[in-house]
Amino acid sequence: MTDAMRFEVLGPVRAWRGDVEIELGPPQQRAALAVLLLQEGTPLSPAQLVSALWGGAEPRAAVGMVRSYVSRLRHAGVAIESAGGGYAIRTSALDATEFEHLLASARTAPDPASVLRTALRLWHGTPLAGLNGFEAERVRLAQLRVTAREDLAAADIAAGRPGEAAAELADLIAEEPLRERPRELQMLALYRSGRQAEALEVFARTQRLLESELGLYPGPELREMQRRILAADPALAPAAASHPSQLPPELPEFVGRTSETAALIAALTPSSASVPVIGIEGLAAIGKTALAVHVGHAVAPDFPDGRLFLDLSASTEPLAELLRGIGVTNPPASPSERASLWRTRTTGHRVLVVLDNARDADEVRPLLPGAAGPAVIITARQRLYGLAHAHWTKLGGLSLPESLALLEHLIGPDRIHREPSEAEALASRTAGFPQVLQAVGARLAARPDWTMAAASHRMSRPGPGAPATPPECWAIEKPYESAVADLSPAQARAFTLLSATPNFSLAAASQVLGLTVGDTAVLLESLADAHLLNPLGADRYRYQEPLRMFARSRVEAAESMQGV
């Protein structure tokens, strides 16, 4: 019958059958039950029970009272056995026993924090509350609970939850102000939360308290923690929680970029004093992300602590996402605390961070990790000025051999070898722009009877009023639409109006735009920075063919609208 019951002593002594609480009688009767439960099945004689209950100050009828308590408890449903001239309760459903078993299993559990939280939820107040005696058992159980709370804080810190640990430790320190281990753990939790000054202040407050209350100086563990924090000991920062590998898979059709790849890999050598930061700039859809991912996979063995990938154009809380990527489940609310924690958690660890689609230096600066291990790859449509030590690579179109290799991958070698001259002409018209090659290649793959000349002809967008637009035109132009959307009205006007010829001089552009030569030069340089024009010497510029075709289509569309 007792097996159907569960008993509580980590608080008032209580017994339950299912969700129904059992009435256990007056305090002394509940004390008798508690004594038997704490023996964990070892029989006690009536005399031993009397001694445990009254401690030498028992009344004359104490043995009879004990037998009466046992009888009433049995009547309530508690299975008290008669064994060896005494009494015993054999049950596995005692909260104190379960608590100690959980503490033991937490030492080897893969997730000790979860086990310890389960153990601590068994507590409902002061152990054996409302009963006389049991002081030694109360102290023993209370000490186990304090140790469990310390171990839980240590487990949370190790699991990348220093903020949670710091809050839990603040409550424990308020209850146990002279105990040093909670304060040592709180210093570590604050330090790993990026709050170094607060961590050191914990030591200072502890030193003042111990001197005033006990005339003592902090113990060796606290002093060592202070020393390591002051020295910014890299060992205090945890390893990246789960060695994250967030890089997207490589594109199966990735070709070329051999020299750029080699230069970028060479630049990703971690420094003890700084963080290698390499940037890849170029036109929308030119292949910046593909190259960054390719390089990331190539150097992955050099960054065993993790490879993080963040698309800044789609992220609303980039620092929070990065912190969660390395196991910080509850990042601080303050942006400055997040940045400090991010640097603290990454210092000394071989972590590669890819920041895709960056817009400006202010966006990137707080996302740079700590030194002595990490490295960063940035992709952006324009070079970001204001990032110290960043090394930039300008990415243009693929070379002609690389363009032909990509086409061959998309449509097979037979068609390339059947029309080699036409294939070269088609590849040249794409200017090596990967998304143009992919769109044309996909169309050719879907139409095996088309010639290369037919595909080259279809690269031209139908004029205004055409009944339909080929899908590859949309695929080619979509990145350019987004690039033009980022331009000012003056820049967009210049980009379209100057497309009447493939290349032009600064003086000719000044006449077309109706601006001074100086203002025209500034405007053209801004379009070159956006990779929409290519400089040819000091005073001449040209369009890449796909961009010129796109600009002409905008002019024709505008003229068509005016004629309506």
Side-chain angles (χ1 to χ4, degrees), residues 248 278-290 292-293 309-315 318 353-361 363-364 367 377-382 384 392 479 482-483 486:
I278 61 174
I280 304 171
E281 61 166 320
L283 183 66
I286 200 65
K288 302 182 296 296
T289 301
V293 170
F309 182 91
L310 184 63
D311 182 356
L312 293 173
S313 68
S315 176
V353 183
V354 179
L355 302 175
D356 196 32
N357 289 314
R359 296 185 67 88
D360 56 58
E363 177 186 44
V364 169
L367 308 181
I377 302 175
I378 301 168
T379 73
R381 292 185 181 179
Q382 296 188 46
L384 308 183
W392 287 89
S482 67
D486 289 337

Side-chain angles (χ1 to χ4, degrees), residues 466-478:
T469 300
E472 61 266 30
C473 288
W474 296 116
I476 291 170
E477 294 175 357
K478 184 178 179 181

Side-chain angles (χ1 to χ4, degrees), residues 194-512:
R195 299 154 67 183
Q196 178 177 337
E198 293 176 62
L200 293 171
E201 178 58 27
V202 169
F203 181 86
R205 286 199 306 269
T206 304
Q207 182 177 355
R208 291 193 296 268
L209 176 68
L210 293 177
E211 287 179 348
S212 63
E213 294 289 329
L214 304 174
L216 298 175
Y217 196 69
E221 291 85 1
L222 267 176
R223 296 199 303 271
E224 177 64 7
M225 181 60 70
Q226 181 207 33
R227 183 196 67 77
R228 295 175 69 190
I229 289 174
L230 288 171
D233 185 349
L236 286 183
S242 56
H243 307 301
S245 184
Q246 299 178 348
L247 291 177
E250 280 213 66
L251 292 175
E253 63 270 21
F254 186 90
V255 298
R257 308 297 195 193
T258 305
S259 60
E260 294 96 335
T261 299
L264 293 172
I265 290 174
L268 287 173
T269 303
S271 164
S272 61
S274 62
V275 178
V277 179
I278 61 174
I280 304 171
E281 61 166 320
L283 183 66
I286 200 65
K288 302 182 296 296
T289 301
L291 178 59
V293 170
H294 177 68
V295 170
H297 284 291
V299 300
D302 296 329
F303 296 93
D305 294 328
R307 282 80 60 198
L308 300 171
F309 182 91
L310 184 63
D311 182 356
L312 293 173
S313 68
S315 176
T316 56
E317 293 187 320
L319 264 176
E321 289 187 37
L322 288 172
L323 286 168
R324 282 191 286 269
I326 58 172
V328 179
T329 55
N330 292 300
S334 161
S336 61
E337 287 184 354
R338 286 181 180 180
S340 181
L341 177 57
W342 166 242
R343 290 190 295 271
T344 299
R345 290 293 307 272
T346 51
T347 295
H349 298 296
R350 303 300 297 274
V351 178
L352 177 67
V353 183
V354 179
L355 302 175
D356 196 32
N357 289 314
R359 296 185 67 88
D360 56 58
D362 289 340
E363 177 186 44
V364 169
R365 200 172 290 110
L367 308 181
L368 297 179
V376 179
I377 302 175
I378 301 168
T379 73
R381 292 185 181 179
Q382 296 188 46
R383 181 170 304 207
L384 308 183
Y385 294 95
L387 292 177
H389 311 301
H391 299 279
W392 287 89
T393 294
K394 180 179 177 180
L395 201 61
L398 297 171
S399 67
L400 182 58
E402 291 171 342
S403 299
L404 289 170
L406 178 53
L407 269 181
E408 183 175 312
H409 181 89
L410 295 168
I411 65 175
D414 291 344
R415 296 177 74 179
I416 300 291
H417 297 157
R418 192 161 54 239
E419 301 178 80
S421 299
E422 291 79 1
E424 285 192 13
L426 175 62
S428 296
R429 285 200 68 193
T430 69
F433 287 10
Q435 98 279 9
V436 181
L437 285 161
Q438 287 168 341
V440 173
R443 193 63 165 167
L444 276 167
R447 297 289 188 271
D449 54 330
W450 279 11
T451 64
M452 295 288 174
S456 181
H457 174 73
R458 288 182 64 89
M459 279 185 62
S460 300
R461 187 184 234 279
T469 300
E472 61 266 30
C473 288
W474 296 116
I476 291 170
E477 294 175 357
K478 184 178 179 181
Y480 306 150
E481 293 281 3
S482 67
V484 170
D486 289 337
L487 300 179
S488 69
Q491 289 173 315
R493 175 176 175 269
F495 174 68
T496 54
L497 288 183
L498 296 173
S499 61
T501 58
N503 60 77
F504 50 86
S505 67
L506 175 60
S510 173
Q511 289 182 345
V512 171

